[in-house]
Amino acid sequence: MAGPPTAEVLVGKDAADVSKRLCDAIEAAYNSRTEKEAAFVIGLSGGSLPKFFAAGAAKMTVDWGRVKFVFCDERLVPFDDAESTFGVYKASALMQIDGVTEASFVVVDPSLDAAAAAKDYAKKLSDLVGGGDPGLPRLDVLLLGMGPDGHTCSLFPGHRLLDEAGETVAPITDSPKPPPNRVTLTYPVINNAAACIFVCTGEGKKDVVSAILDDGTDYPAGRVRPTNGKLVWILDSPAASTLKRAAER
Ligand code: 6PG
């Protein structure tokens, strides 16, 4: 791995500050896109990210009618299952924002098996962004989390999906983080995004955060390096407590 990723590193002093920095970064990406007609596509992750995004989204100055939400990964469970990422967002304050409706979300079809769901979602993405072009969709902003093992999306250490280069969306049926059956974006489409924004909080992640951002150690989250886009890591103080590199605090 070629050293630490080039990234803007921000440290929030508390959860509200993490949320504000996240929403400011999304709004900056929204405002920097010159093409104002097509949908602005935001990729959503699960875990702790929904609470940070939902807490600050209402304060953003965005035409939500132009925003489409896609999923960086999704669990293949019914939407009313507590493990459904769409289900978490559907129950969040995001739905109270003017212009955000269920139609804002391009959902994964959890009734399909993993392989079929991945194929179906890849088509939905290319129809949304590529105008049906089977090429590589360029998503506007991906909101990413990182597990304590350094995974992101449903890309886990040592998993063969880390080397998937042919598909934009891949199935996984052996996720070490339950539930086992998911679909996930793969690195070609992740690293083709205009912006990737990590939110990573908690002392339990400090060592992996420093390994990635200081040493460039090869973890799945560290492989997120947009080829022609912005990379932002938003941490809280505990997750940044052993970080050596400069960060905006
Ligand atoms: C998921 C996520 C996953 C998540 C990490 C971090 O659906 O599980 O997409 O990649 O972002 O597990 O989760 P936390 O932020 O809760 O630690």
Side-chain angles (χ1 to χ4, degrees):
M1 187 56 64
T6 301
E8 184 182 1
V9 181
L10 310 172
V11 180
K13 57 180 177 303
D14 54 24
D17 195 23
V18 167
S19 174
K20 182 175 184 318
R21 288 172 182 270
L22 168 64
C23 293
D24 287 353
I26 299 167
E27 195 168 334
Y30 175 87
N31 290 329
S32 68
R33 203 183 85 174
T34 47
E35 201 281 324
K36 300 289 185 198
E37 291 307 311
F40 185 81
V41 181
I42 300 175
L44 300 172
S45 291
S48 61
L49 194 123
K51 74 176 181 223
F52 289 112
F53 181 36
K59 300 183 192 81
M60 292 167 64
T61 308
V62 161
D63 172 3
W64 292 102
R66 270 190 58 215
V67 172
K68 281 290 185 192
F69 296 108
V70 299
F71 293 87
C72 297
D73 64 330
E74 178 59 297
R75 298 87 174 281
L76 295 178
V77 295
F79 293 146
D80 59 2
D81 186 306
E83 290 289 350
S84 166
T85 299
F86 174 50
V88 169
Y89 282 101
K90 215 169 60 162
S92 78
L94 201 57
M95 300 310 290
Q96 270 68 57
I97 296 175
D98 244 358
V100 177
T101 68
E102 285 199 28
S104 306
F105 296 81
V106 181
V107 294
V108 172
D109 182 348
S111 68
L112 300 172
D113 67 47
K119 209 174 179 64
D120 175 69
Y121 204 58
K123 171 90 173 52
K124 285 182 177 177
L125 286 186
S126 67
D127 288 349
L128 173 70
V129 181
D133 171 356
L136 210 47
R138 181 165 167 83
L139 303 177
D140 290 296
V141 185
L142 300 185
L143 309 184
L144 300 168
M146 185 190 80
D149 61 353
H151 84 262
T152 191
C153 303
S154 291
L155 299 167
F156 294 92
H159 201 283
R160 59 174 179 70
L161 283 186
L162 298 185
D163 300 317
E164 173 58 60
E167 304 298 337
T168 55
V169 182
I172 176 170
T173 56
D174 58 351
S175 169
K177 173 179 180 182
N181 298 323
R182 297 152 171 248
V183 296
T184 183
L185 296 185
T186 59
Y187 287 114
V189 70
I190 292 169
N191 286 328
N192 194 43
C196 289
I197 306 173
F198 277 96
V199 173
C200 188
T201 62
E203 186 165 12
K205 299 180 182 175
K206 70 180 192 307
D207 295 334
V208 177
V209 162
S210 177
I212 291 171
L213 295 180
D214 288 328
D215 310 327
T217 308
D218 184 19
Y219 284 97
R223 293 194 185 191
V224 175
R225 301 175 183 230
T227 44
N228 177 22
K230 191 169 182 186
L231 178 61
V232 182
W233 280 75
I234 301 172
L235 311 170
D236 66 358
S237 302
S241 55
T242 54
L243 192 65
K244 301 180 196 71
R245 82 189 272 174
E248 184 193 307
R249 296 178 187 260

